[in-house]
Amino acid sequence: SQKIEQNSEALNIQEGKTATLTCNYTNYSPAYLQWYRQDPGRGPVFLLLIRENEKEKRKERLKVTFDTTLKQSLFHITASQPADSATYLCARMDSSYKLIFGSGTRLLVRP
Amino acid sequence: DAGVIQSPRHEVTEMGQEVTLRCKPISGHDYLFWYRQTMMRGLELLIYFNNNVPIDDSGMPEDRFSAKMPNASFSTLKIQPSEPRDSAVYFCASSLDNNQPQHFGDGTRLSIL
């Protein structure tokens, strides 16, 4: 079965630093990966989608990479701010065309 | 633009009671998804619809769970009878198609006593 794994430990960083979150997957590489942000008491909000033929994608202070050799995606937030504190989820499509989410990594940005 | 609207936001009821969760997807979205989120199991897909037709309900935990989409602007998830282990946050999401990003509602926090 296709699995997607994220570091369950919270990432605690200082404001202004770059946050890097990791998403690892098993079995075949998905055609794309998606990243979502979830705040407490709210639903996930889509951030970025990266396709397997794209090595890197950027959106403002966000950057996502996709390494099909390592079976890994990295999600970076540069110049992090306390408002970036949230849980970040990655997701992949499985062979049944259903989106499977990782358990999420909680990011805490200290002022 | 209005996003995905779910109701109620919170529901507390006693075990054995029927629970109905409601969702209004974004207008024009052909896909609607129901998810359940718990600390132990994360975000799990229960069922999804395409053009009001259920496509995959393999994530529905038991026969106690049922979902309907009578029209393009409304869906329900029903649990009957409810049990304490059904306590979770239930999310509805919609998308233009199955390869597009999903837009989530803010969920229904369900507590079964």
Side-chain angles (χ1 to χ4, degrees):
Chain A
S1 63
Q2 298 94 44
K3 291 185 179 179
I4 193 155
E5 296 174 347
Q6 295 183 257
N7 191 345
S8 59
E9 290 185 19
L11 179 63
N12 195 326
I13 65 169
Q14 185 73 42
E15 180 178 9
K17 300 293 186 183
T18 296
T20 299
L21 308 177
T22 303
C23 176
N24 296 298
Y25 60 89
T26 61
N27 294 348
Y28 66 88
S29 288
Y32 56 83
L33 287 167
Q34 299 183 27
W35 283 88
Y36 290 76
R37 168 183 173 143
Q38 186 173 22
D39 290 285
R42 307 298 298 275
V45 174
F46 171 76
L47 296 174
L48 281 168
L49 182 152
I50 184 166
R51 302 186 187 284
E52 62 177 336
N53 61 351
E54 297 175 315
K55 292 285 190 265
E56 179 180 299
K57 200 153 189 182
R58 292 175 184 261
K59 178 182 175 182
E60 298 173 352
R61 294 184 296 110
L62 309 180
K63 184 178 85 171
V64 174
T65 63
F66 193 169
D67 189 325
T68 56
T69 301
L70 294 178
K71 296 191 176 182
Q72 182 179 82
S73 175
L74 298 179
F75 178 84
H76 307 272
I77 305 176
T78 57
S80 60
Q81 304 166 1
D84 296 326
S85 299
T87 296
Y88 292 86
L89 304 163
C90 70
R92 66 165 292 170
M93 193 70 76
D94 74 2
S95 55
S96 302
Y97 302 101
K98 295 183 291 188
L99 204 58
I100 298 175
F101 284 84
S103 56
T105 298
R106 187 175 171 208
L107 173 65
L108 299 171
V109 181
R110 302 189 309 275
Chain B
D1 288 343
V4 174
I5 300 172
Q6 291 188 246
S7 65
R9 285 299 313 276
H10 303 273
E11 175 88 19
V12 180
T13 191
E14 293 185 347
M15 75 177 283
Q17 297 297 307
E18 178 179 293
V19 173
T20 299
L21 311 181
R22 296 173 176 79
C23 174
K24 177 179 169 58
I26 292 173
S27 178
H29 282 193
D30 290 336
Y31 283 79
L32 182 139
F33 308 84
W34 280 101
Y35 289 88
R36 178 172 68 177
Q37 187 173 42
T38 61
M39 288 293 292
M40 289 296 295
R41 299 174 67 90
L43 196 60
E44 302 175 284
L45 179 66
L46 301 177
I47 185 171
Y48 77 93
F49 295 82
N50 178 24
N51 291 323
N52 314 337
V53 176
I55 302 300
D56 190 323
D57 66 354
S58 59
M60 296 284 262
E62 299 172 33
D63 291 345
R64 299 183 296 106
F65 286 68
S66 63
K68 293 182 180 179
M69 192 165 184
N71 58 61
S73 59
F74 184 65
S75 177
T76 59
L77 178 67
K78 188 174 293 187
I79 308 173
Q80 166 64 19
S82 58
E83 296 183 4
R85 60 193 165 123
D86 301 331
S87 298
V89 181
Y90 290 80
F91 288 103
C92 175
S94 69
S95 65
L96 285 169
D97 71 48
N98 208 15
N99 289 317
Q100 293 295 314
Q102 295 182 14
H103 299 257
F104 283 77
D106 281 334
T108 295
R109 182 172 294 276
L110 177 64
S111 297
I112 308 297
L113 306 176

